[in-house]
Amino acid sequence: MYQKGTLLVKQSDTVFSCPQQGYTGRPGPNFHDARKVYTSKALGSCKPEPWDGEVKPATWLLGKDADCARGQLPAPSPPSAAAMSNWRKDHLGASSSEPLKVIIIGNGPSGICLSYLLSGYTPYVKPDAVHPHPLLQRKLSEAPGVSILDQDLDYLSEGLEGRCQSPVALLFDALLRPDTDFGGNTESVLTWKLQKERAIPHVVLGRNLPGGAWHSIEGSMVTLSQGQWMGLPDLEVKDWMRRKRRGLRNSRATAGDIAHYYRDYVNKKGLGQSFVSGAVVTAVEWGIPEPSGSGAQDPSPLFQVSGFLTAEDQSQQPFSLCAHNVVLATGTSDSPARLGIPGETLPFVHHELSALEVAIRAGTVTPDSDPVLIIGAGLSAADAVLYARHYNILVIHAFRRPVDDPGLVFNQLPKMLYPEYHKVHQMMREQSILSPSPYEGYRSLPEHQLLLFKEDRQALFQDPQGLHKVFGLSLVLVLIGSHPDLSFLPGAGAHLAVDPDQPLSAKRNPIDVEPFTYQSTQQEGLYAVGPLAGDNFVRFVQGGALAVASSLLRKEARKPP
């Protein structure tokens, strides 16, 4: 039996007021920090400023060698041979025939933080520092003058509790921000020393400028996390913004400011020579260790990383590098999750908020159109509801969970800091199609299962009682999360997950790593940090970088002179 869906009546008023005149958000990376929030244009322009760092452009890194270059990037295109030569000299030392020590794939916050630690920046506890956590303070006092990288991370992190499952992430966060979860502002107990003799040569490959997917977010959008939690070691966001004459809004920064901060961080810390932008990795392979010069076999595998570099004229040239260690730091925003139902590939069904933006600008979706269907109960779906209602677009909002499900993300956000999301949650609860609505223009479909899409722009649902309902639509947005794209790994990296039989997921099924090294439990020399390892907030991804750096330094120390 089919029941025709309730028609929505257009009205001129929006569901609630918004000070911004033109909302032009972009889907952000799958860090939970990055969300799109209405903010007043009075804050000023938040567009990222032009890059003024020293990251080498792809134009002088082009080459034609598709074979492993033993730690070298491909031969340069004239007239940039001098720059390329300097790059090789800086990173590979006197011998250019040796593989690289480390290749980091991904130049977001995880990759930047790891590059900082591998560049010789070493954390020590300040001699006069007293940590507010008594047990941690006692452990820190047992090894005065010893770098955190050289201490037992398992021992130090024992007994710590917080908003993350990773003990090393909790440790590093506690050292950088000792009492932040209790509303305090105690400064870090760490001091940083640049010890170049401890540096490990490495390359950071990224599609975008340093900062990764943060450059994909519209600049005026406000971060979900507090601004102080977006910072990297030894350069607090609030201090950087003060020097830039910028300010925080409700303790939150704009995405444009954060993207600029990450680029500026790479420049100020002198990391730019290790970063290669415009690099797309297409394959990572590994094989049997090679014999050393003495005939003994190196126990570590050798990785071959292949891909292409995109020049300023958009031409592409292949590269191939070899390394002893590879770190996956690519985030998880590459591949939108899909429903897997009939009709999902029809042209009016989309998986990104940008499709609605384009349709509104083109005039193909207007307040007079059939409703837009938004699928999902997370923050991306809430962003789409906010955007659509800002333009008086009719909305049907469908999701599988009950509106009072404690697992909904809205229940984890303080109302004072995130009123816009709690407004959406209120709408989901009060404007159910099963109950009278205080507003027109929006209806929620809690606990509804979407069965299929039809070519005539209709969607077939099944409600909790098993009744079928059909709705006519103008456009569909399926916003139910995303999966990492690890297609460059053998088997797309499925065998690396905690549960190899399930799809890789930052929340439910990340890469299985050793908790105090972040090295894959399945492959020696392969590491994963950030969302790929289950750390979804910038403040916690840094702990993974600390674990990897500590592991790599110990490997170097074990090698014979």
Side-chain angles (χ1 to χ4, degrees):
M1 177 178 180
Y2 292 83
Q3 173 181 320
K4 184 67 176 179
T6 303
L7 294 177
L8 300 179
V9 180
K10 180 182 75 69
Q11 72 170 27
S12 58
D13 296 331
T14 54
V15 174
F16 56 94
S17 62
C18 169
Q20 181 170 305
Q21 297 302 312
Y23 178 91
T24 56
R26 292 289 187 273
N30 202 32
F31 282 112
H32 294 301
D33 305 280
R35 305 310 322 167
K36 288 71 66 184
V37 183
Y38 286 102
T39 180
S40 172
K41 290 299 184 183
L43 292 175
S45 173
C46 302
K47 291 290 185 181
E49 298 177 14
W51 169 237
D52 55 1
E54 298 179 352
V55 177
K56 300 299 185 288
T59 49
W60 60 266
L61 296 175
L62 299 178
K64 299 180 179 179
D65 184 8
D67 297 323
C68 185
R70 299 295 179 209
Q72 304 176 50
L73 283 168
S77 298
S80 306
M84 185 65 182
S85 176
N86 289 336
W87 188 91
R88 286 174 175 162
K89 181 179 179 181
D90 290 342
H91 292 277
L92 307 177
S95 173
S96 61
S97 63
E98 291 297 316
L100 289 164
K101 300 288 187 182
V102 184
I103 293 176
I104 303 170
I105 303 175
N107 63 357
S110 301
I112 295 173
C113 185
L114 180 55
S115 177
Y116 177 75
L117 295 170
L118 296 182
S119 297
Y121 288 95
T122 308
Y124 292 85
V125 176
K126 297 174 183 176
D128 56 346
V130 177
H131 199 282
H133 192 292
L135 178 59
L136 180 56
Q137 170 59 28
R138 179 178 63 80
K139 293 178 180 179
L140 293 173
S141 65
E142 294 173 357
V146 179
S147 164
I148 297 297
L149 289 168
D150 298 326
Q151 296 192 42
D152 186 341
L153 300 181
D154 187 353
Y155 174 67
L156 290 179
S157 61
E158 185 180 6
L160 295 178
E161 297 179 351
R163 303 183 183 184
C164 179
Q165 298 299 316
S166 166
V168 180
L170 290 174
L171 170 64
F172 203 25
D173 186 62
L175 296 173
L176 293 170
R177 291 169 283 270
D179 57 355
T180 188
D181 281 336
F182 300 99
N185 56 3
T186 302
E187 67 177 22
S188 172
V189 299
L190 297 179
T191 184
W192 294 86
K193 299 179 182 179
L194 178 57
Q195 299 174 318
K196 294 186 177 180
E197 69 277 8
R198 294 171 61 97
I200 297 178
H202 63 281
V203 175
V204 184
L205 304 176
R207 294 171 180 259
N208 300 318
L209 293 173
W214 283 91
H215 296 286
S216 301
I217 312 174
E218 201 277 327
S220 65
M221 298 303 99
V222 179
T223 62
L224 178 62
S225 289
Q226 294 187 39
Q228 62 179 345
W229 294 347
M230 308 302 296
L232 298 176
D234 202 29
L235 181 60
E236 291 194 22
V237 169
K238 63 180 181 180
D239 295 336
W240 178 87
M241 293 189 72
R242 187 181 302 117
R243 289 195 290 269
K244 296 293 182 180
R245 298 183 179 180
R246 304 286 300 153
L248 299 175
R249 178 177 180 262
N250 289 338
S251 300
R252 294 148 78 189
T254 66
D257 282 332
I258 295 303
H260 187 192
Y261 165 83
Y262 291 141
R263 299 199 320 266
D264 213 26
Y265 185 93
V266 170
N267 184 32
K268 289 182 179 297
K269 298 302 182 182
L271 312 178
Q273 60 183 1
S274 298
F275 281 70
V276 180
S277 297
V280 177
V281 174
T282 57
V284 175
E285 299 170 301
W286 51 88
I288 301 173
E290 286 193 346
S292 64
S294 62
Q297 196 174 59
D298 190 331
S300 63
L302 196 62
F303 294 85
Q304 181 172 325
V305 178
S306 305
F308 61 85
L309 294 160
T310 303
E312 292 178 356
D313 62 0
Q314 300 305 306
S315 62
Q316 298 176 351
Q317 295 291 337
F319 70 82
S320 188
L321 301 170
C322 281
H324 289 295
N325 300 278
V326 167
V327 183
L328 304 175
T330 57
T332 64
S333 63
D334 299 302
S335 180
R338 297 180 179 272
L339 296 166
I341 62 173
E344 192 170 5
T345 59
L346 290 170
F348 63 91
V349 181
H350 304 274
H351 297 80
E352 294 182 349
L353 174 58
S354 57
L356 179 58
E357 302 171 23
V358 171
I360 291 177
R361 285 199 300 266
T364 56
V365 172
T366 71
D368 296 316
S369 302
D370 284 337
V372 168
L373 173 62
I374 297 171
I375 307 293
L379 297 182
S380 294
D383 291 332
V385 171
L386 292 170
Y387 182 87
R389 293 309 303 141
H390 178 65
Y391 287 98
N392 288 332
I393 304 300
L394 306 180
V395 171
I396 296 175
H397 185 191
F399 42 95
R400 291 183 299 177
R401 294 185 180 186
V403 292
D404 57 354
D405 189 326
L408 288 179
V409 68
F410 307 103
N411 296 317
Q412 305 169 29
L413 304 177
K415 290 185 178 180
M416 292 296 292
L417 283 179
Y418 308 102
E420 66 284 349
Y421 288 130
H422 282 280
K423 183 63 180 183
V424 173
H425 191 204
Q426 179 185 352
M427 293 162 59
M428 293 165 62
R429 181 186 300 109
E430 296 180 359
Q431 296 174 220
S432 167
I433 199 166
L434 305 177
S435 62
S437 169
Y439 300 102
E440 298 294 341
Y442 171 93
R443 289 290 186 276
S444 67
L445 302 179
E447 301 181 78
H448 277 60
Q449 181 181 0
L450 184 55
L451 302 178
L452 59 86
F453 297 110
K454 299 181 178 182
E455 292 184 1
D456 58 354
R457 294 179 181 265
Q458 290 189 334
L460 174 62
F461 284 91
Q462 179 174 294
D463 70 10
Q465 289 72 42
L467 185 66
H468 287 182
K469 299 177 182 178
V470 177
F471 293 89
L473 309 164
S474 61
L475 184 138
V476 177
L477 294 178
V478 179
L479 302 173
I480 55 174
S482 60
H483 299 299
D485 181 6
L486 298 180
S487 57
F488 55 83
L489 292 177
H495 66 291
L496 302 174
V498 173
D499 184 351
D501 296 326
Q502 298 296 322
L504 250 169
S505 167
K507 294 181 181 179
R508 301 176 183 86
N509 193 32
I511 291 177
D512 193 13
V513 297
E514 297 289 348
F516 300 103
T517 66
Y518 275 60
Q519 184 170 237
S520 166
T521 59
Q522 303 298 316
Q523 179 56 54
E524 168 80 16
L526 185 66
Y527 296 81
V529 292
L532 290 177
D535 298 333
N536 292 292
F537 290 89
V538 170
R539 64 180 285 201
F540 294 127
V541 303
Q542 301 168 61
L546 178 75
V548 174
S550 176
S551 172
L552 293 173
L553 285 166
R554 293 175 190 275
K555 283 184 179 181
E556 287 297 303
R558 289 197 298 266
K559 289 185 177 180

